[in-house]
Amino acid sequence: MRTEGDAWDIVTGVGLTALGVATFRALESALPDPLIRDDYAALFVRAAGEPHFLDILRDPPKIAGRPLVPGFMGLRTKFFDEFFLSAVAAGAGQAVILAAGLDARAYRLDWPAGTVVFEIDQPKVLEFKDRVLADHAVAPRAVRRPVAVDLRDDWPAALIAAGLNPDTATAWSAEGLLPYLPGAAQDSLFDRIRELSAPGSRFAVETAPTSAAAGNFANLEAKYFDKNPFGEIDPTELFYHDERADPAQWLHDHGWTVQAVGSADLASTYGVTLPELPEELEQQWQRPRYLSAAYDAGSGGPG
Ligand code: SAM
């Protein structure tokens, strides 16, 4: 259950979902032929010491008798990795990772020299991440600027105070974020990103399932997984299901050029052979879940 202004650390509430997805990145990274490598993910899981995710790390859940990975979190991670690398190659000199959680892209990716990477999340989540990486003497590969602020508050002021330059192109990401925001906060997030985006900016978005699809997926997990990947928490209970703009439509209406892909499309692009899954699960892979949007001068919309 969510409340106005609720806060969390890495082992409570919404913070635990960041630990969960880090666990899934650690599992992907440990495969013999991983889609992505995130060597920091396992460090976070061990440092947090949360029993369920330690167990998942040792003994991953199986679905329809097959391991949860490959591809489960690797596809999503690789999509956003490639998005950032292509956005900075196209000229974006700064990146903003909204709701960064335990995202270690500032430490993992080969950023062009001088790229500034802003990471927004709640204070205790960023404190945990900074502490673990400092304990392991890990240095970022970009100019990293953590911005501890709630995305329901005046985050643009905090971001500009941390050094964002709204006059140059920015690469933005909203990965695993939107359903955790109330509808009004999501709508204002998009307005604010538009206001802060100079021509040349790019925005990658993971869209939320409809509430019916989210509920259906929770049931399917219970039916097919031998143990629940998220343990006792049900992330969909932390979601807001209130009205909000459709991200693809909104971006299109505001002058962005939008491309949408589903997990099945990514699997085929990245050459991942998915295990044979029951049909009702298979359908979940078809949804156009990931958006990649470009805002270019002359794209015609109101900006
Ligand atoms: N993007 C990261 C990733 O994919 O690894 C983390 C995803 S995790 C599922 C959700 C993240 O959203 C958490 O780190 C949480 O703290 C953050 N988050 C959710 N609502 C937020 C808010 N109102 N303000 C700041 N961060 C928020």
Side-chain angles (χ1 to χ4, degrees):
M1 263 306 133
R2 300 292 308 279
T3 52
E4 203 182 325
D6 50 350
W8 47 80
D9 59 21
I10 200 65
V11 291
T12 56
V14 186
L16 206 44
T17 68
L19 191 61
V21 290
T23 310
F24 307 140
R25 282 195 291 272
L27 292 175
E28 175 74 35
S29 304
L31 292 173
D33 187 17
L35 259 189
I36 54 103
R37 279 284 300 275
D38 182 348
D39 293 333
Y40 309 110
L43 299 182
F44 294 129
V45 182
R46 295 203 182 93
E50 199 279 331
H52 171 74
F53 290 117
L54 285 175
D55 173 61
I56 294 281
L57 201 56
R58 276 190 302 265
D59 180 22
K62 296 188 179 53
I63 190 157
R66 307 284 300 267
L68 176 64
V69 284
F72 173 69
M73 192 52 61
L75 295 173
R76 164 171 141 174
T77 307
K78 191 172 169 76
F79 170 82
F80 282 93
D81 283 0
E82 293 197 337
F83 162 78
F84 276 118
L85 291 175
S86 83
V88 292
Q94 52 191 5
V96 179
I97 305 178
L98 301 158
L102 302 177
D103 179 321
R105 290 193 174 90
Y107 299 80
R108 291 197 294 112
L109 297 188
D110 195 9
W111 301 95
T115 307
V116 184
V117 177
F118 299 90
E119 295 182 4
I120 299 184
D121 211 297
Q122 284 213 352
K124 287 182 179 165
V125 171
L126 291 174
E127 272 162 36
F128 170 79
K129 177 178 182 173
D130 291 355
R131 177 170 58 74
V132 174
L133 293 172
D135 284 351
H136 290 84
V138 182
R141 304 177 71 183
V143 181
R144 174 178 176 259
R145 306 231 171 108
V147 185
V149 65
D150 196 292
L151 288 161
R152 292 163 291 186
D153 297 337
D154 185 6
W155 58 266
L159 191 56
I160 286 173
L164 182 91
N165 179 356
D167 297 326
T168 67
T170 303
W172 305 86
S173 72
E175 177 186 16
L177 165 65
L178 299 185
Y180 299 106
L181 292 177
Q186 176 179 311
D187 289 347
S188 90
L189 184 94
F190 279 79
D191 282 333
R192 288 159 155 181
I193 287 173
R194 178 197 59 185
E195 284 158 20
L196 294 172
S197 290
S201 293
R202 303 281 182 268
F203 186 14
V205 181
E206 182 182 16
T207 62
T210 61
S211 52
N216 186 31
F217 191 60
N219 293 336
L220 293 176
E221 280 185 331
K223 188 164 157 192
Y224 290 112
F225 280 72
D226 63 346
K227 58 178 157 187
N228 188 338
F230 278 95
E232 309 218 326
I233 61 156
D234 173 356
T236 63
E237 283 181 5
L238 300 167
F239 288 2
Y240 285 92
H241 300 288
D242 51 351
E243 285 296 306
R244 59 196 61 207
D246 172 69
Q249 188 65 47
W250 191 97
L251 288 163
H252 173 77
D253 291 347
H254 290 81
W256 298 68
T257 308
V258 186
Q259 287 185 313
V261 290
S263 301
D265 301 319
L266 292 180
S268 121
T269 305
Y270 300 149
V272 173
T273 310
L274 297 171
E276 218 166 276
L277 295 172
E279 200 184 321
E280 53 186 346
L281 262 178
E282 191 81 54
Q283 287 165 6
Q284 303 283 336
W285 289 77
Q286 308 295 339
R287 179 173 81 78
R289 176 169 173 168
Y290 301 104
L291 309 179
S292 175
Y295 177 61
D296 289 308
S299 50

